[in-house]
Amino acid sequence: MGATIGRRLHEVRKRRGLSQRELATASGVSLSLIRKLEQGERNDTRLETARRLAVALGVPTTRLLAEPDDHEDDFPPPDQWAPVRQALTPGVRPDEPDEPPTVSGVLGALDSTLPLFSGDRYAELGPVLPALIRDADSLAEADAEGRAVRARVMQLTGWLLTQTRQFTAAHDALDRSLDGAPDRLHGAATVSTQCWLLLRQGRLAEARELATRWADEMEPRMSRATPAELSAWGWLLLRLSAASVRDNRPGEAEQALRLAHSAAVAMGREFAPDKDFLRAFGPVTVTLKRAENAMITDRPDVVLQLAERVPAGGLRPTSNNRNRHLLDVAEAHVRSRQYAEAVDILQTIRRAAPQWLPNQRYARDILGRVIDRRRTLTPEMRTLADAVGVPM
């Protein structure tokens, strides 16, 4: 117990912005004992002493005595997505509306929710998505046009659920999207999201095999490929590269990245087919993914060099591109011992995507390493740690 309480005591005290002397005064525990506990010189302490320290720090006593895994779930499914998961359950639907949905009506509703998806506005999206799923399901029972609408709704739902770590439900939504895909381009976009879902689950071989199969099938003739075809093929190659680099296959990762770069050069600029933010692709997107690969292979200097080539403007900051890239830049700063710069970047992301950032385990890990290396925390760091969910 002593080794655990010493480490946890140090972590929580820093988060509270208290010195050892201030904690001693607030708790009535001697300064000498607090120092010995934190330095590991004492390997035991009475439960009453632990309780007094916990009271002064404003945490349960078990926070000081137990390992984090004993009392903290790793991103439990947020309650806000329970209605969405229920709407995806076969045979379970909310109350039917008075008027049956129409294709034009559902498309209008979908268009109005797209800014909520692309802006990671979860609090606003959660309440409206179950009804959108219900209406899209009803349309799918009618004709091919309705099935195409449902495929699009399911793709976006699967992407959102992947983003918020609702992995089982995400697989269900994406499978339905692929089953109802109106054409190969929609199917490829859905498969790209499926590959990302597999990557987030650590299922690297499955992601690599799926991306390879679809990239081979979707490879266009470069001389007459449309932007939509280049985007579909390019994204599958980027997923293949991401899976390969994580699976310690650097040669395969680089080859896929080079092919994606050729598609981006043919595209000529960043472009989103049908104004679909999930399919936005071009030279800047490939640069972002090259930086991601460099971070995976522990080359923070390359990440920072590539970051300088990413335009500050002209690329809308979404979770699908720039915000995710900025996490790599923050990590590169941490590995270069540039902690203030890393915190500044995390603050920038928080201002741009306050509902997205807490769902990123990567951000939590980055800030956790910053905290470990700091003797004291600024009020801004403590606020950021609470927002990101760094455990105390």
Side-chain angles (χ1 to χ4, degrees):
M1 180 175 70
T4 299
I5 191 173
R7 176 174 56 80
R8 301 290 288 166
L9 178 63
H10 176 70
E11 292 172 353
V12 177
R13 180 179 60 76
K14 282 208 306 182
R15 284 286 296 276
R16 292 292 185 248
L18 296 175
S19 67
Q20 290 178 333
R21 188 175 299 278
E22 289 169 335
L23 177 57
T25 300
S27 65
V29 177
S30 72
L31 176 60
S32 174
L33 178 56
I34 291 174
R35 285 175 175 167
K36 289 178 180 178
L37 286 171
E38 291 195 3
Q39 293 169 4
E41 296 177 9
R42 282 286 300 270
N43 295 318
D44 63 345
T45 187
R46 294 187 300 116
L47 180 60
E48 177 57 25
T49 300
R51 190 195 68 80
R52 287 160 62 189
L53 291 167
V55 169
L57 293 167
V59 298
T61 306
T62 52
R63 287 292 177 94
L64 300 181
L65 299 180
E67 289 291 342
D69 288 344
D70 291 338
H71 59 76
E72 291 174 357
D73 293 328
D74 192 15
F75 285 108
D79 290 339
Q80 71 182 110
W81 303 120
V84 175
R85 296 193 300 272
Q86 184 181 39
L88 290 170
T89 303
V92 178
R93 291 186 179 180
D95 295 335
E96 294 291 341
D98 295 333
E99 297 289 335
T102 64
V103 169
S104 60
V106 175
L107 284 175
L110 178 58
D111 285 343
S112 69
T113 62
L114 285 178
L116 306 183
F117 280 103
S118 63
D120 301 302
R121 292 156 60 181
Y122 302 151
E124 298 167 70
L125 188 56
V128 302
L129 188 53
L132 184 60
I133 292 172
R134 175 202 64 200
D135 290 347
D137 269 339
S138 296
L139 288 178
E141 298 170 359
D143 53 28
E145 190 177 15
R147 287 190 291 275
V149 173
R150 184 180 71 166
R152 175 63 172 146
V153 171
M154 289 298 175
Q155 181 201 9
L156 286 164
T157 301
W159 174 83
L160 171 71
L161 293 171
T162 301
Q163 191 72 265
T164 55
R165 308 187 72 83
Q166 314 291 301
F167 294 148
T168 300
H171 276 292
D172 183 23
L174 292 172
D175 285 345
R176 293 192 205 181
S177 177
L178 189 58
D179 286 343
D183 52 50
R184 292 170 67 247
L185 291 176
H186 179 97
T190 298
V191 167
S192 173
T193 305
Q194 286 182 319
C195 290
W196 176 51
L197 170 56
L198 292 169
L199 284 169
R200 294 205 84 183
Q201 292 183 290
R203 296 162 63 177
L204 304 181
E206 293 174 70
R208 186 165 49 81
E209 291 166 5
L210 182 61
T212 298
R213 183 171 73 252
W214 273 79
D216 289 344
E217 293 176 1
M218 296 298 297
E219 183 173 0
R221 290 189 179 182
M222 300 294 286
S223 60
R224 59 187 186 186
T226 66
E229 290 171 336
L230 291 170
S231 169
W233 187 52
W235 265 111
L236 291 166
L237 291 167
L238 291 178
R239 300 304 189 196
L240 171 57
S241 181
S244 297
V245 74
R246 286 166 172 79
D247 200 22
N248 195 28
R249 297 171 181 265
E252 293 180 21
E254 183 57 33
Q255 181 182 17
L257 205 54
R258 280 198 296 267
L259 290 172
H261 177 72
S262 69
V265 169
M267 181 88 81
R269 60 186 176 89
E270 293 295 310
F271 179 73
D274 298 326
K275 298 181 180 180
D276 182 356
F277 73 99
L278 291 181
R279 292 193 285 164
F281 180 79
V284 177
T285 297
V286 174
T287 299
L288 301 184
K289 295 304 179 182
R290 186 174 292 280
E292 182 177 319
N293 283 11
M295 196 69 265
I296 294 296
T297 54
D298 197 20
R299 293 180 291 164
D301 55 327
V302 174
V303 174
L304 297 178
Q305 291 169 11
L306 290 170
E308 294 179 356
R309 293 163 44 185
V310 177
L315 183 65
R316 187 174 182 273
T318 72
S319 61
N320 206 41
N321 52 41
R322 188 170 179 83
N323 286 337
R324 173 59 181 77
H325 166 67
L326 288 176
L327 288 180
D328 282 325
V329 178
E331 173 71 352
H333 280 303
V334 170
R335 296 195 190 185
S336 303
R337 300 186 179 183
Q338 299 168 348
Y339 305 125
E341 289 85 347
V343 171
D344 286 345
I345 289 173
L346 291 175
Q347 292 281 27
T348 297
I349 301 173
R350 185 186 174 214
R351 287 190 292 270
Q355 297 181 48
W356 174 78
L357 191 60
N359 286 278
Q360 307 310 306
R361 180 187 296 169
Y362 192 13
R364 185 174 64 173
D365 292 343
I366 292 168
L367 187 57
R369 284 191 286 276
V370 173
I371 290 173
D372 286 343
R373 289 161 174 78
R374 296 272 304 193
R375 290 177 61 88
T376 60
L377 302 183
T378 66
E380 292 78 12
M381 286 182 182
R382 292 196 296 272
T383 300
L384 183 60
D386 289 338
V388 172
V390 176
M392 292 192 300

